[in-house]
Amino acid sequence: MSTPHPVRLAADHTAQELTIVWSDDHTSVLSFDGLRRVCPCVSCRGGHGKMHEPIDPMLFVLPSLQTHTIEELRPAGNYGLQIRWGDGHSTGIYQWSFLREVDPALRDA
């Protein structure tokens, strides 16, 4: 079986959720706050030496600390998604494999 790839993205600013529909018909619903907390850029991760440290899965199930705005969702080649946040931050590239891995629904399965 091939690796699932995204077929549709939707950012719901009212619900503060990014929905990704995958080619295997799974739907991931990820909170904006969780996505912002796990931004994969060097600055947010605390330097190059920390880039491969695991993400705490609780960051996606904790209550949101604040409201976020997504200004733009942009593909990063075939491997990921770049988000331009309302605060201007846009240097993190969220790999598709990473977004599947942090999906709370798949972690519980």
Side-chain angles (χ1 to χ4, degrees):
M1 183 174 191
S2 65
T3 302
H5 60 276
V7 294
R8 190 175 67 216
L9 299 172
D12 182 335
H13 286 89
T14 302
Q16 290 283 286
E17 296 173 334
L18 175 68
T19 300
I20 305 169
V21 178
W22 301 92
S23 59
D24 64 355
D25 292 327
H26 175 72
T27 299
S28 296
V29 179
L30 304 170
S31 71
F32 285 7
D33 197 51
L35 288 166
R36 191 64 178 92
R37 290 183 205 195
V38 301
C39 176
C41 81
V42 155
S43 179
C44 291
R45 293 301 304 265
H48 288 284
K50 296 184 178 186
M51 293 299 289
H52 296 289
E53 289 182 5
I55 297 295
D56 182 352
M58 289 304 296
L59 295 174
F60 275 91
V61 295
L62 293 172
S64 293
L65 297 175
Q66 59 186 346
T67 300
H68 299 277
T69 302
I70 290 179
E71 299 291 332
E72 182 181 14
L73 296 171
R74 183 179 2 181
N78 291 325
Y79 65 93
L81 176 68
Q82 190 168 20
I83 299 174
R84 184 164 50 91
W85 296 97
D87 63 5
H89 187 67
S90 65
T91 56
I93 295 176
Y94 298 78
Q95 292 184 19
W96 298 123
S97 58
F98 172 79
L99 293 171
R100 281 285 289 214
E101 182 181 311
V102 297
D103 180 344
L106 293 175
R107 289 184 155 284
D108 295 336

